Amino acid sequence: PNIALPKFKALASKSTTQGHGLQALAITVIGGTAPLSITARSSNTAVVPAANLHPNSAAQTLAIGSSSLGVGVSNISVTVTDAVGARGISWFLLTVNPAPTIALGFSQYLTTVTRSTANLTVSVAGGTGLLKVTASSADPTRVKNSNIHVYRG
């Protein structure tokens, strides 16, 4: 009989930020004899530990957990094995960027109740995509959150 080997629709390279995994990446399998079994491996377990790879054969997805992700690049190989033992293998590159860090230009700022403060500098580095910076008062009875404003400079 003519048996169609399991094949993949191309898996695109992905990137994420340390502390943020990837949820439910679709793995489109063409061919093969049901049921299919999906497994995944990381080429660099310092970046993506094996325990962070969560393939779901029934849903044909792969989730990558966020705990213990290192910074760097890993080739993630995905293998589909069908009921008769035929295999298809594909891979994608996963880049894990460093989590954002915040550097404050001050450690503590004291002022009087009647005096407004000057601008305080906060530097943010790392991460990917759009970063959101917020600020709040440790004691809103003294400094109302509505009086705190964050501006991009």
Side-chain angles (χ1 to χ4, degrees), residues 45-153:
T45 56
V47 175
V48 182
N52 282 37
L53 298 171
H54 307 288
N56 183 326
S57 298
Q60 292 190 2
T61 60
L62 171 64
I64 299 176
S66 60
S67 66
S68 305
L69 285 180
V71 174
V73 177
S74 181
N75 231 340
I76 307 297
S77 63
V78 181
T79 303
V80 173
T81 306
D82 74 2
V84 297
R87 287 186 178 165
I89 300 173
S90 188
W91 59 90
F92 64 94
L93 198 62
L94 177 62
T95 303
V96 180
N97 296 298
T101 58
I102 297 176
L104 303 175
F106 54 93
S107 61
Q108 188 176 27
Y109 196 85
L110 301 176
T111 185
T112 63
V113 173
T114 58
R115 188 176 144 228
S116 65
T117 63
N119 292 334
L120 305 176
T121 302
V122 177
S123 300
V124 180
T128 57
L130 185 63
L131 298 175
K132 181 178 181 180
V133 177
T134 60
S136 62
S137 174
D139 185 353
T141 61
R142 293 176 185 237
V143 177
K144 294 179 183 176
N145 285 324
S146 61
N147 290 337
I148 298 173
H149 306 282
V150 177
Y151 299 98
R152 181 178 171 201

Side-chain angles (χ1 to χ4, degrees), residues 6-17:
K7 296 181 205 171
F8 289 88
K9 199 171 190 181
L11 299 171
S13 294
K14 305 284 182 198
S15 67
T16 189
T17 302

Side-chain angles (χ1 to χ4, degrees), residues 21-47:
L22 299 173
Q23 300 300 314
L25 300 172
I27 299 170
T28 304
V29 181
I30 303 159
T33 304
L36 302 173
S37 171
I38 298 175
T39 58
R41 294 184 72 149
S42 169
S43 68
N44 187 345
T45 56
V47 175

